């Protein structure tokens, strides 16, 4: 579900690569979607690209040849012998390198994509890659690349998708990615990046942001709400502090956002109800406290709502359990003290519902009574803007923006 919007990559290849070339590569065409990487993979190199004639694209391909050979020399282990084909000046025949005729008046072909997913290569990235200014996709997930990204990557003016997931990259957030002008998809998950996440990540016009399974720490930038992304994954890091209140004011187009397994505290912002198109919200394995905001009942498209392993308390609201698209609701390992009748009906709707290890009287598999005698965060005051009763979801945006804007008293 998380990467289904990135079937765009496949469409993009069909536009930039002639049909007979796109389906004539050795290894076939498939989708490389998984926990540690996403996007389109096309095995093998394009073997039917004609050798450039003198005076056509020789300069482009000569530059590409020099760049790829420099990169090849920085790769120290190639157990699958992927780079055995990286010989000679016809880079369009290299495995994992894709060429197409440019869409402007430049002579073609040019390198438009590199896909070395699951190649198990060990090495580093080199600055010479930045000469591939026609490249729109760079997919390197599931390798053993290490080090950092060269500053020259800002010159990749055509790059739209950068997938570096499941490698051994380290150091601070690679800020050079924020200067790649047309980047829409950024995947850095399953590496060892550390330090704070820069604010500019959420100012950039990215549609997908995958930063999960690193060592990022500090607080989530307060401008999180500026991001137009449809998918944001910050899971499995060391982020602390509150979920920014601007979280509720970001693009209503966001479909999936994951904060799980960090060190977040405070309340779930009331503005969560603005995400009328959200399908997945996971804040599990944090230390969030307080009552659930009534506005959660406005998540009309929500399918997976995971609040488990926090310190939340109060009642599980009736309107939350009555959400029509709900497929899985997990509130286990909290301090909730009651369920509505609609929550009990979830089992008859074939909705996965786990409310174990709370403090709900008369229910099985709850916490021992002594653990329920003192509710964590009992003195915590969550910011809750008064809303009409019954709650009118369509009016939430105006109410919250008016109360949370800087001009508010």
């Amino acid at each position: 579900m998380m990467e289904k919007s990135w079937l765009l990559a496949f469409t993009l290849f069909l536009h930039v690569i002639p049909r007979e070339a796109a389906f004539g590569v050795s290894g076939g065409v498939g989708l490389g979607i998984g926990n540690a990487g996403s996007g389109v993979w096309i095995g093998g190199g394009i073997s039917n690209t004609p050798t450039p004639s003198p005076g056509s694209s020789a300069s482009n391909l000569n530059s590409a040849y020099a760049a790829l050979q420099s990169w090849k020399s920085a790769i120290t282990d190639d157990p699958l012998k992927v780079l055995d084909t990286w010989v000679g000046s016809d880079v369009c025949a290299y495995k994992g390198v894709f060429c197409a005729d440019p869409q402007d008046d430049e002579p073609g072909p040019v390198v438009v994509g590199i896909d070395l997913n699951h190649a198990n290569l060990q090495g580093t990235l080199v600055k010479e890659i930045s000469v591939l200014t026609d490249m729109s996709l760079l997919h390197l997930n599931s390798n053993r690349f290490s080090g950092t990204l060269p500053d020259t990557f800002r010159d990749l003016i055509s790059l739209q998708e950068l997938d570096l997931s499941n490698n051994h990259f380290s150091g601070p957030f690679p800020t050079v990615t924020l200067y790649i002008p047309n980047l829409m998809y950024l995947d850095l998950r399953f590496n060892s990046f550390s330090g704070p996440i820069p604010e500019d990540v959420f100012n950039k016009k990215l549609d997908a942001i995958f930063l999960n399974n690193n060592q990022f720490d500090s607080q989530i930038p307060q401008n999180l709400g500026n991001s137009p992304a449809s998918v944001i994954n910050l899971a499995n890091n060391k982020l602390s502090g509150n979920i920014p209140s601007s979280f509720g004011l970001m693009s209503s187009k966001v479909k999936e956002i994951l904060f799980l397994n960090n060190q977040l505290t405070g309340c779930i912002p009331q503005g969560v109800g603005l995400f009328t198109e959200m399908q997945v919200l996971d804040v599990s394995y944090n230390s969030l406290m307080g009552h659930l905001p009534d506005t959660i009942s406005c998540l009309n498209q929500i399918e997976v709502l995971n609040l488990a392993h926090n310190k939340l308390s109060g009642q599980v609201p009736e309107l939350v359990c009555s959400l029509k698209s709900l497929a899985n609701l997990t509130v286990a390992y909290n301090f909730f003290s009651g369920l509505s009748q609609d929550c009990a009906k979830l089992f008859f709707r074939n909705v996965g519902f786990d409310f174990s290890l709370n403090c709900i009287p008369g229910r099985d598999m709850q916490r021992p009574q002594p653990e329920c005698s003192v509710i964590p965060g009992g003195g915590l005051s969550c910011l809750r803007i008064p809303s009409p009763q019954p709650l009118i979801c369509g009016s939430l945006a105006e109410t919250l923006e008016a109360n949370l804007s800087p001009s508010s008293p």
Side-chain angles (χ1 to χ4, degrees), residues 23 26 49 59 77 105 127 139 172 179 183 208 213-216 221 235 243 257 272 274 293 295 353 395:
F23 290 91
S26 61
T49 302
S59 59
D77 190 28
D105 293 331
K127 64 181 182 179
H139 288 176
Y179 296 97
L183 194 66
N213 295 81
N214 280 282
Q215 302 293 320
F216 291 119
I243 298 176
I257 189 160
V272 66
L274 294 177
T295 54
F353 181 38
S395 65

Side-chain angles (χ1 to χ4, degrees), residues 270 383-389 391 396 399-400 403:
Q270 190 177 21
L383 175 63
R384 298 291 184 243
I385 308 301
S387 58
Q389 296 294 331
L391 182 65
L396 270 180
T399 302
L400 292 173
N403 283 276

Side-chain angles (χ1 to χ4, degrees), residues 61-304:
L61 294 185
N62 285 342
S63 297
Y65 169 74
L68 294 176
Q69 291 301 314
S70 294
W71 188 15
K72 181 180 178 180
S73 68
I75 294 174
T76 57
D77 190 28
D78 177 18
L80 302 180
K81 306 300 181 184
V82 173
L83 303 186
D84 282 1
T85 63
W86 286 31
V87 177
S89 60
D90 185 7
V91 299
C92 298
Y94 289 8
K95 189 170 186 178
V97 177
F98 304 97
C99 297
D101 291 329
Q103 297 181 347
D104 52 24
D105 293 331
E106 285 187 46
V110 294
V111 174
V112 295
I114 294 178
D115 192 323
L116 294 172
N117 286 352
H118 304 279
N120 199 21
L121 299 171
Q122 178 178 301
T124 58
L125 303 182
V126 297
K127 64 181 182 179
E128 287 82 1
I129 296 173
S130 61
V131 306
L132 304 175
T133 54
D134 294 289
M135 180 170 60
S136 59
L137 296 99
L138 179 57
H139 288 176
L140 302 178
N141 87 60
S142 302
N143 285 282
R144 290 174 289 147
F145 289 111
S146 60
T148 58
L149 275 65
D151 288 340
T152 55
F153 267 42
R154 69 180 63 203
D155 298 330
L156 295 172
I157 57 175
S158 300
L159 193 65
Q160 296 185 32
E161 296 189 23
L162 179 61
D163 182 356
L164 303 178
S165 61
N166 199 24
N167 278 282
H168 298 164
F169 293 108
S170 59
F173 182 96
T175 54
V176 65
T177 60
L178 304 178
Y179 296 97
I180 301 174
N182 291 301
L183 194 66
M184 295 179 63
Y185 177 98
L186 178 62
D187 193 344
L188 303 179
R189 56 188 156 167
F190 292 94
N191 280 288
S192 297
F193 292 114
S194 59
I197 297 173
E199 287 189 0
D200 284 343
V201 172
F202 303 113
N203 290 330
K204 191 170 177 60
K205 293 182 179 179
L206 294 166
D207 186 56
I209 303 172
F210 294 99
L211 305 182
N212 53 291
N213 295 81
N214 280 282
Q215 302 293 320
F216 291 119
D217 55 29
S218 194
Q219 298 189 13
I220 299 173
Q222 291 299 308
N223 67 332
L224 171 68
N226 292 354
S227 177
S230 61
V231 179
I232 299 177
N233 193 338
L234 304 179
N236 301 314
N237 282 289
K238 298 179 179 179
L239 300 168
S240 58
N242 297 343
I243 298 176
S245 57
S246 67
F247 167 60
L249 302 179
M250 64 194 300
S251 167
S252 62
K253 301 296 183 183
V254 67
K255 289 181 168 55
E256 303 183 24
I257 189 160
L258 294 93
F259 297 108
L260 71 132
N261 197 25
N262 280 285
Q263 301 164 14
L264 301 176
T265 55
C267 306
I268 296 177
Q270 190 177 21
V272 66
L274 294 177
F275 297 119
T276 55
E277 296 186 18
M278 183 180 287
Q279 298 169 357
V280 176
L281 172 62
D282 193 334
V283 297
S284 62
Y285 290 91
N286 283 286
S287 295
L288 299 172
M289 299 182 185
H291 294 189
L292 295 181
D294 290 342
T295 54
I296 285 185
S297 63
C298 295
L299 300 177
N300 296 322
Q301 302 297 318
I302 198 75
E303 298 176 15
V304 176

